[in-house]
Amino acid sequence: MDLTNIPSFQMFSRSMDYHAQRQNVIAQNVANSDTPKYKARDLAEADFGQEMKRAQPGLTMTPASHGVSIIAKPAVSHGVYEAMEDRNPREVAPNGNSVVMEEQVGKMRKSVFNYNLAADLYKKQISMYSMALGKGR
Amino acid sequence: MSNIQLLNINSISTSGMHAQSQRMRVISENVANADSTGQTAGEDPYRRGTITFKSVFDRETGATKVEIAKLGQDGSDFPQKFEPSHPAADENGYVRMPNVNMIVEMMDMRQAQRSYEANVMMMDGTRTMIRKTLEVLRGA
């Protein structure tokens, strides 16, 4: 049984992907926090909470000759989100740098939280499916 | 999954840490030599060192890292201190002192430390994300 087609799993995996990419952009901002003329970047906002609430789990049964086994493959379709410069930076240093450290640290904590949350939900759903299909855990 | 994105962060944050620690070295040198005058009136005192960063696009990871652009010297004038008994005093009794301002150096050092620690925080946060990913893959 292939889990990649179930909408909720796709949501979780897309959320993880988004936040990992965001973490990447934040890391670049932090590394370049003192580079002259460097402008802080970020991904466009994406609210996965809404999408996750709306997602309805569905079961896709594929005929298998040797019984049902659960495979959780990483979702295949991933978006590549574009990192854009912040148009209205809170402050710009005399050397042209627009990275505000406190902001970046706050964003990082959000990314870590959301990523870990999506991962946990992903795990939870897998174990729920395992139980429902009689594999027991 | 997004493993590659997360693993790349290590090299990004490392470049940040390296740059900041170089900066701290330059500041330490300035502080250590804040009173290093010449031996004679003709000899220059210690001249303040400077460091500038530049961002570098890494094609392999698609990320913007930071590098040392150059190590330079502060060209501002040497302040003069009145001390006729000093070996390096000129005919008017003035000694040229290094153009190092301790307050500026201390502030800079604090800033460098904060930036360094922020890079470490990035790596710590990323590590939990990687660990979570492994948990998911293992659990499945």
Side-chain angles (χ1 to χ4, degrees):
Chain A
M1 172 183 148
D2 186 359
L3 286 177
T4 56
N5 291 326
I6 299 177
S8 52
F9 279 108
Q10 286 189 335
M11 276 315 125
F12 298 148
S13 141
R14 230 173 282 165
S15 171
M16 286 167 76
D17 192 41
Y18 173 85
H19 289 292
Q21 287 189 40
R22 192 161 195 229
Q23 184 81 342
N24 199 297
V25 172
I26 297 169
Q28 293 177 53
N29 289 341
V30 167
N32 285 284
S33 63
D34 293 307
T35 310
K37 301 213 201 76
Y38 179 89
K39 299 288 183 270
R41 290 181 281 201
D42 199 359
L43 304 183
E45 287 245 5
D47 183 10
F48 289 92
Q50 280 304 315
E51 305 194 48
M52 288 213 263
K53 279 192 208 129
R54 276 188 275 122
Q56 300 288 330
L59 282 180
T60 13
M61 298 294 279
T62 48
S65 48
H66 302 291
V68 181
S69 60
I70 299 182
I71 317 156
K73 282 189 296 197
V76 175
S77 64
H78 284 149
V80 176
Y81 302 90
E82 195 188 324
M84 296 173 313
E85 277 181 14
D86 190 356
R87 290 301 156 98
N88 305 308
R90 194 121 55 91
E91 55 180 67
V92 179
N95 66 4
N97 186 291
S98 80
V99 175
V100 179
M101 197 60 91
E102 294 78 13
E103 231 177 26
Q104 297 302 316
V105 170
K107 288 183 183 180
M108 178 201 76
R109 296 214 191 282
K110 266 203 325 197
S111 282
V112 170
F113 174 76
N114 284 313
Y115 184 92
N116 290 343
L117 177 65
D120 277 340
L121 289 172
Y122 195 109
K123 266 197 309 179
K124 191 124 199 116
Q125 261 210 289
I126 290 183
S127 67
M128 273 165 43
Y129 278 110
S130 294
M131 256 193 312
L133 292 164
K135 290 231 122 187
R137 223 185 234 261
Chain B
M1 294 194 175
S2 18
N3 310 315
I4 307 297
Q5 289 288 321
L6 295 180
L7 292 174
N8 285 340
I9 292 176
N10 284 327
S11 65
I12 297 170
S13 297
T14 305
S15 80
M17 283 157 66
H18 179 70
Q20 297 299 338
S21 63
Q22 289 286 83
R23 179 183 177 189
M24 285 194 262
R25 235 191 54 198
V26 170
I27 298 169
S28 302
E29 252 179 59
N30 289 341
V31 167
N33 285 291
D35 287 321
S36 304
T37 63
Q39 302 286 54
T40 65
E43 204 182 327
D44 272 348
Y46 173 84
R47 192 174 273 288
R48 177 174 179 259
T50 60
I51 182 171
T52 37
F53 297 150
K54 67 174 185 230
S55 53
V56 158
F57 182 75
D58 179 29
R59 205 160 288 280
E60 224 176 84
T61 56
T64 307
K65 300 192 199 172
V66 64
E67 262 180 25
I68 313 293
K70 89 179 162 117
L71 294 163
Q73 294 201 314
D74 184 336
S76 54
D77 288 334
F78 296 117
Q80 311 229 358
K81 190 165 85 161
F82 186 70
E83 203 178 319
S85 53
H86 198 284
D90 62 9
E91 61 268 16
N92 297 321
Y94 283 98
V95 181
R96 287 181 305 152
M97 300 297 290
N99 56 348
V100 173
N101 183 333
M102 284 305 268
I103 299 178
V104 169
E105 302 301 318
M106 287 293 128
M107 291 298 298
D108 206 5
M109 178 65 97
R110 217 164 310 177
Q111 182 71 5
Q113 265 170 341
R114 264 185 57 217
S115 297
Y116 184 93
E117 277 158 15
N119 279 296
V120 173
M121 265 198 284
M122 288 302 309
M123 289 181 76
D124 281 347
T126 308
R127 202 187 354 203
T128 71
M129 289 163 85
I130 292 176
R131 202 174 49 222
K132 271 291 169 196
T133 314
L134 291 177
E135 276 175 30
V136 173
L137 292 174
R138 222 184 329 194

